[in-house]
Amino acid sequence: MKDIVLYDQNCRFCKATKRLFERLDWMHVIDWRPLQEADNTGFSQEELMREIHLITPDGSAKKGFFAIRRMLLRFPLTGFIGLIMYLPFLKPAGRFGYSVVADNRTCDIRKKK
């Protein structure tokens, strides 16, 4: 079964990230869906716009760094990198790095308000 990743289809950075990850997804384990078309996710539109969301086949959700980490773990070429990202001391750095990138997206609607 596939993970579902909700991404911002109006964001050039998000679309570029999606294209890169699609190239890594040789086993087709990710189903990409625009967050603008997502219904009944349990998340507000603002939450979805803040960071990438991944919904696992069992219905649990991973956001931001944790979503990226899971995707990297599932791709054959990046599986080892994903595994390394599970080391406890890398979690704070990964969360911080993800937040810096997410907060500085030029397509972020929070900057347009």
Side-chain angles (χ1 to χ4, degrees):
M1 293 185 61
K2 295 184 178 189
D3 288 339
I4 298 169
V5 175
L6 303 173
Y7 75 100
D8 182 357
Q9 72 178 354
N10 298 324
C11 171
R12 286 185 296 170
F13 179 78
C14 302
K15 290 189 293 187
T17 301
K18 174 184 177 274
R19 283 191 303 274
L20 171 65
F21 278 34
E22 284 177 323
R23 287 187 204 126
L24 296 170
D25 188 9
W26 304 339
M27 307 297 286
H28 306 287
V29 295
I30 303 294
D31 181 16
W32 293 86
R33 297 188 188 168
L35 64 87
Q36 290 82 359
E37 299 171 10
D39 293 329
N40 303 321
T41 63
F43 300 105
S44 70
Q45 197 71 8
E46 184 176 296
E47 286 177 293
L48 292 172
M49 292 297 289
R50 193 172 317 130
E51 57 191 343
I52 195 167
H53 284 62
L54 179 147
I55 302 167
T56 65
D58 69 6
S60 65
K62 311 276 185 208
K63 300 186 279 185
F65 165 73
F66 302 103
I68 299 296
R69 181 176 72 176
R70 178 171 169 97
M71 283 188 278
L72 291 174
L73 184 65
R74 298 204 64 200
F75 302 150
L77 191 61
T78 60
F80 186 70
I81 295 167
L83 187 60
I84 289 171
M85 292 172 71
Y86 275 86
L87 293 172
F89 64 88
L90 290 179
K91 181 176 160 183
R95 292 177 73 183
F96 175 76
Y98 182 89
S99 69
V100 167
V101 171
D103 290 346
N104 289 293
R105 291 184 303 145
T106 57
C107 57
D108 192 344
I109 68 161
R110 290 174 287 163
K111 293 181 174 148
K112 296 177 186 174
K113 289 183 180 179

